[in-house]
């Protein structure tokens, strides 16, 4: 898979730069709903990357249609020409960590509550490391787990 690195001026950014990466293989039956849940966010991600692992079920066509319908989102679709496997695709998603303040890996069959990114950004303010655990649709605020220099808080 060929990635085009994107360099962002972190000092000029007035807010947390958030990248969402969706690894997917043959996700046509659910990718539209996942993408729609990203587009419905109160606070949109700054970059959305879709890593299509050689899908042959129309997934890439759905992503292209989504991009046309949502020009306000910065979407980078990347497609493997042969199946590299789920683990390798998720590892590829992790490669974006160095290009962003916050990396969110979104499985292609998951949905987000409309305030997920807004609450993530608010909870992340001032933290050196943020880890999100078991955040569910409809979760109450305060369910994010923050780890700041080895100290856990809820």
């Amino acid at each position: 898979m060929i990635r085009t690195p994107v360099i962002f001026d972190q000092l000029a950014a007035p807010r947390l730069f958030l990248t969402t990466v969706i690894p997917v293989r043959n996700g046509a039956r659910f990718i539209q709903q996942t993408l729609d849940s990203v587009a419905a966010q109160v606070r949109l991600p700054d970059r959305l990357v879709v890593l299509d692992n050689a899908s042959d079920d129309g997934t890439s066509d759905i992503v292209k249609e989504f991009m046309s319908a949502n020009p306000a989102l910065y979407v980078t679709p990347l497609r493997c020409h042969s199946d590299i496997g789920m683990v390798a695709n998720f590892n590829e998603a992790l490669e974006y960590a160095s290009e962003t303040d916050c990396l969110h890996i979104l499985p292609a069959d998951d949905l987000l509550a409309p305030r997920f990114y807004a609450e993530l950004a608010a909870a992340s303010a001032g933290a050196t490391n943020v880890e999100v655990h078991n955040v569910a649709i409809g979760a109450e605020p305060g369910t994010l787990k923050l780890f700041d220099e080895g100290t856990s808080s809820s």
Side-chain angles (χ1 to χ4, degrees):
M1 178 178 306
I2 299 173
R3 288 191 328 112
T4 303
V6 177
I7 307 300
F8 300 99
D9 183 353
Q10 300 293 329
L11 297 175
R15 64 182 189 154
L16 179 80
F17 193 92
L18 173 64
T19 299
T20 296
V21 182
I22 302 175
V24 62
R25 165 109 172 113
N26 289 335
R29 69 183 183 275
F30 41 73
I31 191 75
Q32 184 68 56
Q33 292 86 353
T34 300
L35 292 169
D36 288 345
S37 77
V38 172
Q41 292 296 298
V42 171
R43 192 268 199 216
L44 294 173
D46 298 289
R47 184 177 189 196
L48 173 62
V49 180
V50 180
L51 298 178
D52 185 349
N53 185 17
S55 296
D56 57 12
D57 66 346
T59 296
S60 61
D61 294 331
I62 294 168
V63 173
K64 287 177 190 172
E65 290 172 17
F66 174 81
M67 291 173 60
S68 294
N70 294 278
L73 278 170
Y74 175 43
V75 182
T76 304
L78 298 173
R79 180 169 160 71
C80 293
H81 295 289
S82 61
D83 183 359
I84 61 172
M86 182 180 73
V87 173
N89 204 27
F90 271 80
N91 283 339
E92 182 67 24
L94 291 172
E95 293 295 320
Y96 287 88
S98 64
E99 299 176 12
T100 191
D101 295 325
C102 182
L103 176 65
H104 175 228
I105 298 176
L106 177 61
D109 59 352
D110 285 4
L111 302 175
L112 300 175
R115 296 196 45 79
F116 178 82
Y117 292 134
E119 291 183 22
L120 176 62
S124 301
T128 55
N129 293 306
V130 177
E131 208 173 303
V132 180
H133 295 273
N134 302 323
V135 176
I137 291 178
E140 293 298 316
T143 59
L144 297 176
K145 302 290 185 188
L146 299 183
F147 297 88
D148 189 2
E149 297 178 13
T151 305
S152 175
S153 65
S154 296

